[in-house]
Amino acid sequence: MDFFKPPYFLSVFEIGILRREDQKEGKRMSLTGKRILALVSDDFEDLELWYPVLRVREEGATVDLVGEEAGHVYHGKYGVPATSDYSFDEIKPEDYDGILVPGGWSPDKLRRYEKVLDFIKYFDREKKPIGQICHAGWVLISAGILDGVNVTSTPGIKDDMTNAGAIWHNEAVVTDRHIISSRRPPDLPEYLPAYIKAFSK
């Protein structure tokens, strides 16, 4: 099964909706009451945004998509849309319990916003869960929070990560305290349980 083709994404999206319905029938949701900020800009990796968003919503979390503009429709690498709930200027990071940074090419755009870097620095300072996957490490590099941190990422930015002082591992998911990192879409089934678990620490 190809994780990178849109038909697979659609099946994941549909499964997410069905699981959400299952949760309404009385299953315990571990993130009830939690509020998570998910960054968004054009050219995000479709699965790396939507799979985490759907998964934490299944666990009861409220997830806000936050981009440069509020109410703007951003498009992933394969054309899947994501409409932002708020702009960077409209939110306060202290109102959130965790943050998700998708991969794709969007991290190279997100890292250019001072507000985004301030968000990352806040979550790092407060030791709240930071989820990063694939190229999302670029954002954490620009925020200057990776020195001495164990991480993974797409191998394509391994040198960027190590040059920023990180200790890079070629593993599906790496957790170093409140920073949870993963490599690419096939690792999502390992990444999300680790990210969700970080809220219970």
Side-chain angles (χ1 to χ4, degrees), residues 20 29 31-36 53 56-63:
R20 182 66 170 165
M29 296 185 283
L31 297 183
T32 298
K34 301 295 184 183
R35 192 175 181 192
I36 297 173
V53 167
V56 296
R57 282 178 176 167
E58 288 170 10
E59 293 297 329
T62 297
V63 183

Side-chain angles (χ1 to χ4, degrees), residues 6-199:
Y8 178 72
F9 171 83
L10 293 176
S11 68
V12 170
F13 191 90
E14 290 162 358
I15 289 169
I17 293 172
L18 292 173
R19 288 182 178 172
R20 182 66 170 165
E21 291 302 315
D22 288 342
Q23 296 289 10
K24 290 178 182 177
E25 294 177 6
K27 293 184 180 179
R28 182 177 180 276
M29 296 185 283
S30 62
L31 297 183
T32 298
K34 301 295 184 183
R35 192 175 181 192
I36 297 173
L37 188 168
L39 296 172
V40 64
S41 68
D42 281 323
D43 296 319
F44 58 85
E45 164 55 56
D46 306 60
L47 276 171
E48 293 169 358
L49 174 71
W50 279 114
Y51 188 112
V53 167
L54 289 171
R55 187 67 192 89
V56 296
R57 282 178 176 167
E58 288 170 10
E59 293 297 329
T62 297
V63 183
D64 292 330
L65 300 183
V66 182
E68 182 184 10
E69 301 176 46
H72 182 77
V73 180
Y74 296 93
H75 292 90
K77 288 167 58 179
Y78 302 111
V80 177
T83 302
S84 54
D85 299 299
Y86 300 101
S87 71
F88 300 141
D89 292 328
E90 291 178 320
I91 63 118
K92 297 178 180 179
E94 55 266 32
D95 292 335
Y96 292 88
D97 301 291
I99 189 168
L100 286 165
V101 188
W105 304 126
S106 67
D108 193 34
K109 300 174 183 179
L110 291 167
R111 71 194 301 189
R112 305 178 196 197
Y113 296 101
E114 198 61 38
K115 285 271 188 181
V116 168
L117 302 185
D118 287 343
F119 296 159
I120 298 296
K121 291 174 185 177
Y122 167 81
F123 286 102
D124 183 57
R125 187 170 60 250
E126 298 298 319
K127 304 295 185 286
K128 294 182 177 183
I130 299 172
Q132 66 158 66
I133 184 168
C134 198
H135 288 80
W138 277 338
V139 180
L140 279 69
I141 288 170
S142 292
I145 68 164
L146 290 183
D147 190 27
V149 178
N150 291 283
V151 296
T152 191
S153 67
T154 174
I157 65 167
K158 173 185 175 181
D159 291 346
D160 304 44
M161 302 290 270
T162 57
N163 287 338
I167 304 162
W168 193 86
H169 304 267
N170 188 21
E171 298 176 12
V173 63
V174 173
T175 299
D176 192 332
R177 297 164 295 154
H178 58 288
I179 297 176
I180 304 90
S181 56
S182 192
R183 296 175 302 191
R184 50 188 178 258
D187 299 323
L188 285 163
E190 287 79 27
Y191 172 48
L192 268 299
Y195 183 72
I196 292 167
K197 183 179 178 180
F199 287 86

